[in-house]
Amino acid sequence: MPSELDLMRAGQLYNSTAAELVKMRATAKQKVYRYNQTAPEANALRAQILQELIDCPSRDAYIEVPFRMDYGSNVHIGANFYANYDSIFLDIAPITIGDNVMLGPRVSLYTAGHPLVASVRNEFLEYGHPITIGNNVWIGGNAVICPGVTIGDNTVIGAGAIVTKDMPVNSLIVGNPAHVLRSLTAADEQYWQAEKQRYLAARNQ
């Protein structure tokens, strides 16, 4: 017979009050609490706690305090990750994040789902679907990424967007529900490279 943890990891209905899951969440909450109580200058301690909590092989993820996370063990992060204040990771299912990803303040990644009918939902049965975020993605403040969503490489999610379905690569995404406003093209690359050169020239004056 599969355990509630097995069912959760398989994306099936599971009982969130199972003792094993309650214990796992309690352990994660203790680590999140310790992280959020660190002094501003305690960068090394925060890095140590975060490495105990999540999977980040490059060991260079940075998450501003405060933040929230259910399990931590279901969060997989690539190199050069940054999350601004008040980020939320509901990692019932895996959250997989590529390299060079930035989250604005109060970005929420929700893998958790609940039955639409109250008769089942009220029995503490729920499920989770994974979230996957590609490389070089920027997600603006207060955006919400819903269960089961994949975001393609080099995509920008505008502030306040509610992303309910998969989003393509090289796109600017906005709105509620979120949609593709336009593609990011060579013209964008040329414009921002020119802006960088203008910045460098000003620095060298």
Side-chain angles (χ1 to χ4, degrees):
M1 177 184 298
S3 68
E4 300 298 330
L5 176 59
D6 293 332
L7 294 172
M8 184 183 81
R9 287 175 170 169
Q12 300 178 27
L13 280 180
Y14 72 96
N15 191 317
S16 61
T17 67
E20 180 181 20
L21 300 180
V22 171
K23 182 178 179 180
M24 290 173 66
R25 290 195 300 271
T27 298
K29 283 180 181 179
Q30 284 295 325
K31 293 176 182 178
V32 170
Y33 177 81
R34 287 172 54 213
Y35 190 96
N36 286 336
Q37 299 303 310
T38 55
E41 67 275 11
N43 292 318
L45 177 57
R46 277 193 297 279
Q48 175 189 331
I49 297 169
L50 195 60
Q51 197 60 33
E52 295 172 1
L53 186 62
I54 66 171
D55 170 39
C56 179
S58 61
R59 306 178 69 88
D60 62 351
Y62 191 91
I63 300 177
E64 298 283 2
V65 298
F67 82 105
R68 295 290 182 269
M69 193 172 285
D70 276 336
Y71 292 93
S73 57
N74 288 328
V75 177
H76 310 281
I77 293 179
N80 194 31
F81 173 78
Y82 174 80
N84 214 319
Y85 308 113
D86 292 324
S87 55
I88 297 176
F89 303 78
L90 296 190
D91 60 322
I92 304 304
I95 296 174
T96 304
I97 299 173
D99 297 337
N100 305 309
V101 172
M102 299 170 57
L103 306 186
R106 295 179 177 154
V107 167
S108 299
L109 308 179
Y110 300 155
T111 69
H114 301 273
L116 293 179
V117 298
S119 58
V120 178
R121 186 171 63 244
N122 292 345
E123 296 180 25
F124 303 103
L125 296 177
E126 57 186 61
Y127 62 90
H129 291 159
I131 289 172
T132 302
I133 299 171
N135 299 318
N136 308 309
V137 171
W138 171 28
I139 302 179
N142 287 293
V144 174
I145 313 302
C146 291
V149 164
T150 294
I151 297 172
D153 294 348
N154 308 311
T155 283
V156 175
I157 309 293
I162 310 296
V163 186
T164 61
K165 62 182 181 180
D166 292 354
M167 292 296 160
V169 301
N170 302 310
S171 299
L172 176 59
I173 309 298
V174 300
N176 179 13
H179 61 278
V180 178
L181 182 64
R182 67 178 180 86
S183 295
L184 299 176
T185 68
D188 294 295
E189 180 74 21
Q190 292 169 2
Y191 173 82
W192 286 105
Q193 287 294 344
E195 287 296 297
K196 184 182 79 170
Q197 293 304 317
R198 186 175 294 112
Y199 159 76
L200 292 174
R203 293 279 294 172
N204 291 328
Q205 289 179 355

